[in-house]
Amino acid sequence: MTELLAPFVEFGFLRRALVGCLALAVGAPVLGVFLMLRRTSLTAEVLAHGVTPGIAAGFLLAGASVPAMSLGGLLAGLAVALGAGALSRATGGREDAALTALYLIALALGVALVSLRGDAADLTHLLFGQVLGVDDEALWLMAGAATVTLPALALAWRPLALETFDPAFARAEGARGGLWHMLFLALVVLNVLAAFQAMGTLMAVGLMMLPAVASRHWARQLSGLAYAAVGIAAVSAFAGLLASYWLDLPSGPAIVLTAGLAWAVSVVTGPVDGLLQRAIRRPHLAG
């Protein structure tokens, strides 16, 4: 236990990184659960790339200012999310196709904007983040995202669950699914933006989606999935930072790889549709 806690006791930057990642782990994985159940898991990845030009524009205007980059990223992410919905309704096409086109354009534009003023280090920070370099402003953003997300999810829990499992009934009951969907996408953008400070745009959804996907092997009810996803995300953040310290690995990839390992373990040993559980059940049913 002493060895597990020693790095966080000794180094302030590791404590800050842990607090920031735990803040992300509280709200983001619950959003990931809803994305998984709606079969729109890649939407988070699309929105993570969609914030790139706004972050890059903030960087060009104000340098490495967290408020400027955050505001720009928020506006860009909302523009991609709302623009995809508007285009799909106007043209009759699929929303995922519009999202794909917009996020590819946004990612390329963001990288081009950063290249105009920044150097390779700035581009690396944009794409991969810097967990151990989390400052006060970034920490406030992560904590603020969790503070906004949890009450908003408490308010939207029933309508989101209804729209997820029975959208036809939700429409018949006048649940205003479009309004709740927009609120949900705004929360996803906010959490992706907060995660960008630590993980970069390429891995910002790591703590959102991997624990959510792993949770389906540990629970069947929506509340159980949410609890499992948050627990897996918190453990992954803690273990990933320890692995990065002891094994001298980049912190962001170490956290995502740890969450990936948790998913792999869940697939094999999870009590709900895990591979071992299925292997044990088949002989029993055959007999």
Side-chain angles (χ1 to χ4, degrees):
M1 182 60 68
T2 301
E3 290 186 359
L4 289 177
L5 297 178
F8 301 103
V9 173
E10 184 176 355
F11 300 107
F13 63 88
L14 273 177
R15 289 196 299 273
R16 298 164 66 84
L18 179 61
V19 170
C21 289
L22 290 179
L24 294 176
V26 170
V30 184
L31 298 172
V33 167
F34 279 105
L35 287 169
M36 175 190 68
L37 294 174
R38 290 168 174 234
R39 299 182 180 181
T40 56
S41 298
L42 290 178
T43 299
E45 185 69 25
V46 169
L47 294 177
H49 296 322
V51 304
T52 307
I55 293 172
F59 174 76
L60 287 177
L61 293 174
S65 168
V66 172
M69 292 191 297
S70 299
L71 178 60
L74 181 62
L75 294 176
L78 292 176
V80 169
L82 299 177
L87 282 175
S88 64
R89 287 191 295 271
T91 63
R94 290 176 58 90
E95 186 175 5
D96 59 342
L99 276 171
T100 301
L102 288 175
Y103 106 78
L104 288 172
I105 295 170
L107 178 62
L109 178 61
V111 172
L113 288 175
V114 172
S115 300
L116 290 177
R117 175 176 169 181
D119 53 20
D122 295 320
L123 185 58
T124 300
H125 177 68
L126 173 70
L127 296 178
F128 298 103
Q130 191 175 2
V131 177
L132 300 184
V134 172
D135 57 14
D136 287 340
E137 292 177 330
L139 201 58
W140 277 109
L141 178 60
M142 295 176 186
T147 303
V148 171
T149 299
L150 293 179
L153 280 176
L155 177 66
W157 188 267
R158 290 177 66 86
L160 284 177
L162 185 59
E163 188 191 12
T164 297
F165 292 108
D166 198 342
F169 181 73
R171 286 193 297 269
E173 290 294 310
R176 297 183 180 179
L179 178 63
W180 294 112
H181 181 63
M182 289 298 103
L183 172 63
F184 175 72
L185 288 181
L187 290 176
V188 173
V189 170
L190 177 62
N191 279 267
V192 163
L193 190 60
F196 149 76
Q197 303 295 335
M199 304 289 190
T201 59
L202 291 186
M203 290 182 288
V205 299
L207 275 181
M208 180 182 292
M209 292 311 307
L210 283 170
V213 176
S215 70
R216 67 173 295 269
H217 296 287
W218 298 100
R220 297 186 185 275
Q221 296 183 340
L222 181 57
S223 58
L225 291 172
Y227 288 131
V230 169
I232 292 171
V235 171
S236 298
F238 180 78
L241 286 173
L242 278 179
S244 71
Y245 176 80
W246 291 113
L247 302 178
D248 196 22
L249 297 173
S251 300
I255 293 172
V256 175
L257 285 173
T258 304
L261 178 62
W263 167 75
V265 171
S266 301
V267 170
V268 176
T269 65
V272 180
D273 294 330
L275 295 179
L276 290 180
Q277 182 69 19
R278 284 175 172 267
I280 294 171
R281 189 167 60 237
R282 282 200 190 99
H284 172 72
L285 293 176

